[in-house]
Amino acid sequence: MQKYTGKLAVLYQGQGDSLPFQRLAEKLNVPLYQVINDDCPESFFLTWRDGSLKLLDKELLKKGGLVVDIEPRNGEQRSWPAPKQGPLAQALGRKTRTVIDATTGWGQDSLHIFRMGYELLCIERSPVMAELLFDGFRRLAEQDWMQSLNLQPPRLINGNAIELFTALAFQPDCIYLDPMFPPKRKKSALAKKSMVVLRDLLGDDQDKEELFAAAVKAAGKRVVVKSPDYAEPLGGKPNESYQGKLIRYDVYFKD
Ligand SMILES: C[S@@+](CC[C@H](N)C(=O)[O-])C[C@H]1O[C@@H](n2cnc3c(N)ncnc32)[C@H](O)[C@@H]1O
C-alpha cells in the first residue's frame, strides 16, 4: 500500500510497549519514528496517547491530536436510546430500523445514529480512519453505560462501500452518505480541525456519484446524503430535504 508514503508515520515516544506501534506501522506500511525532525517528509502521525489512538499533524504535535470522540454532542440526551429527534432522524425516516453509514470518517454521524438506537453497520475505506474508528469503538465498548445495557458498538468494515454494497448479507432500510465535497473557499474559518485534517489526508471523494448510484441499488427504502448547504444535491432533486446548521440532508426514496 503506497498510499501514505511520505504523508503519514507512526510515532512512538516511549509510551510503554512499542510492539503495537510497530504492528500499526507495518499494517499501514508507513515508517515508525521516535522523534520528528525537520527532515521528516510526513505531515501526519498516528500515536497512542492517554489511552486513545490519535491523529496529529505537525501543528497538533504538542497539543494532543484528534481522536474519534465517543461523547454525545452538545444538547444530545445522554440516555440510550436517545430520542429520534432533529434533522438527521427526520431524514433517516420514522420507519427505518437498519442503517449503513457508508462514509464513517470520524464516526460522529454514526455515533449519533447509534445513540438513537438504530441498528447500524459502518463502512470506511481509509485504513487510517478505520484504525481510529476501531480504537474509538473499543473505547465505546468499555463505557459503563454500554456494559450495563449489554450493548455492542457498531460493526465496522474497512473497505470501499461501492464494492461492499454488491455483497451485503442484508438489505438496510437506509444508506447514509456523507462524502467529502470540495470546500466553498480554500480555507474556511468555520471548518472543524478534524475535517480539515481529513481533507488534507484523504482529499475530496471524487467518486461520490458512483457511490450514490451504488447506494440507491443497495438500499431497501431510502438513501440520505449529507451535503454542505452550498452544494448541488448529489442525486438530482431529492424527495425530501432537511436543513441542519450549514448542512442539508437530502433524502431519496426507493420507488
Ligand atoms: C466527510 S467524511 C465523513 C464524516 C462523517 N460523517 C463523520 O461524522 O465524521 C467522508 C469519509 O467517507 C469516506 N468514504 C468516501 N467514499 C467512500 C467509499 N466509497 N467507501 C467507504 N468510505 C468512503 C472517506 O474516506 C472519509 O473518511
Side-chain angles (χ1 to χ4, degrees), residues 73 101-111 123-127 129 133 157-165 176-181 194-195 198-199 202-208 210-211 226:
R73 302 184 209 195
D101 180 351
T103 55
T104 305
W106 286 104
Q108 296 309 287
D109 293 329
S110 266
L111 287 165
I123 300 178
E124 170 53 52
R125 71 171 153 198
S126 152
M129 294 317 296
L133 286 163
I157 306 179
N158 178 204
N160 186 340
I162 299 170
E163 290 153 24
L164 292 167
F165 283 160
Y176 179 76
L177 307 176
D178 175 22
M180 198 101 67
F181 285 81
S194 55
M195 285 302 156
L198 199 64
R199 180 186 304 283
L202 307 176
D204 287 328
D205 293 315
Q206 307 284 358
D207 52 359
K208 31 184 180 310
E210 205 187 327
L211 176 62
K226 179 178 173 185

Side-chain angles (χ1 to χ4, degrees), residues 98-102 121 123 160-177 210-224 252-255:
T98 50
V99 180
I100 294 185
D101 180 351
L121 171 67
I123 300 178
N160 186 340
I162 299 170
E163 290 153 24
L164 292 167
F165 283 160
T166 59
L168 288 176
F170 69 106
Q171 189 175 46
D173 296 328
C174 173
I175 295 184
Y176 179 76
L177 307 176
E210 205 187 327
L211 176 62
F212 177 77
V216 169
K217 271 194 197 151
K221 293 185 183 138
R222 61 175 66 200
V223 174
V224 174
Y252 297 87
F253 299 147
K254 287 275 296 234
D255 21 60

